[in-house]
Amino acid sequence: MFRAIANALSTVGSAVATVVTLPFRLLAGLFGGASRGGRTRRA
């Protein structure tokens, strides 16, 4: 029973971590691409 609770908490924790980090990763990608400028295009 405790294992099921631990698995549920682990699943919820990983989902929350994904949702929390996604906006930061998107912002990092936007600012990273903007700081490189439009001179070089990634293939």
Side-chain angles (χ1 to χ4, degrees):
M1 179 170 174
F2 289 116
R3 183 168 293 182
I5 295 172
N7 283 339
L9 287 176
S10 176
T11 303
V12 170
S14 63
V16 168
T18 301
V19 171
V20 168
T21 54
L22 261 176
F24 292 107
R25 283 164 56 185
L26 287 173
L27 284 174
L30 283 174
F31 286 117
S35 68
R36 275 195 290 272
R39 294 174 311 231
T40 59
R41 296 241 179 239
R42 282 183 289 176

